[in-house]
Amino acid sequence: MTKDKTDAAPKPKGKLKKLLFIGVGALVLIGAGAGAGIYFGALSAHEAKPEDHFPKLVVRSSGDEEAPAAEGDDKEAAPKVGTVAVPNDKFKVDPRKYEVTYFQIPDAFTTNLADGSGFLQAGISLSTFYDGKVINNIKRQAVPIRSVVLMVLSEQDPALLSTSQGKQRLQRQLTAAINDVLREKEGFGGIDNVYFTSLVIQ
């Protein structure tokens, strides 16, 4: 009879250990999942949005009207006010709608002319309708910009530079060259025009 009583009695310690083990395992898994969720949620919250990298147009008026459509052949639409500028910045901005900022390159450029007949010295200032990110990009890329400007200036024909059309052509060449450098190095150009603050041909 004693044998039957021993066999019939349950062993609570074994079952309790199993339940405890399962409960602890479930809690560990839930805690790990919650921790991973909090970690990745915080990471995504602190990540910069990709469009934040691009400069924005600076609108003249303080109203919340939409930015005008781009002018020119490029079918890419201009961004709306408060949205990011499109990575393709080759559209023509309406200067009546946006604030222009000028940035003067600190030192003048001096180079020999293409035909070897003399030299050209030019001081330039750049204009942009975009925010301060473009100016910061210009400062950060000062060395490659200086290099490309010198290359463009050294290829000039002094006879063409004596005319107004030749100077305007040089402005367009410099604008395109500087924007190419900025697009390559920073992903965005943003320079609207190059202006001469001094121009000496000897």
Side-chain angles (χ1 to χ4, degrees), residues 37-151:
I38 291 169
Y39 174 76
F40 288 115
L43 252 175
S44 63
H46 290 295
E47 281 180 3
K49 294 178 184 176
E51 62 267 16
D52 288 345
H53 172 71
F54 296 109
K56 297 173 182 65
L57 288 165
V58 179
V59 181
R60 275 186 189 231
S61 66
S62 59
D64 289 349
E65 71 272 4
E66 291 186 357
E71 298 174 0
D73 297 330
D74 198 339
K75 301 297 182 193
E76 189 91 40
K80 291 185 168 78
V81 174
T83 63
V84 298
V86 290
N88 180 1
D89 63 337
K90 294 181 180 178
F91 59 81
K92 185 73 176 164
V93 175
D94 184 351
R96 297 167 300 176
K97 302 291 182 183
Y98 297 102
E99 194 65 47
V100 65
T101 302
Y102 298 99
F103 177 76
Q104 184 164 352
I105 303 292
D107 299 318
F109 297 85
T110 305
T111 183
N112 292 324
L113 290 167
D115 63 358
S117 62
F119 72 91
L120 168 66
Q121 185 176 58
I124 62 171
S125 186
L126 313 177
S127 69
T128 182
F129 291 103
Y130 291 89
D131 60 23
K133 289 181 184 178
V134 170
I135 303 300
N136 290 336
N137 292 347
I138 294 166
K139 292 175 182 176
R140 190 167 33 251
Q141 301 304 331
V143 172
I145 287 173
R146 190 158 194 85
S147 176
V148 76
V149 168
L150 286 170
M151 284 191 282

Side-chain angles (χ1 to χ4, degrees), residues 175-195:
T175 302
I178 293 169
N179 274 327
D180 286 347
V181 168
L182 290 173
R183 286 186 195 108
E184 179 189 340
K185 304 290 186 183
E186 300 288 346
F188 193 91
I191 300 302
D192 177 67
N193 204 354
V194 171
Y195 296 96

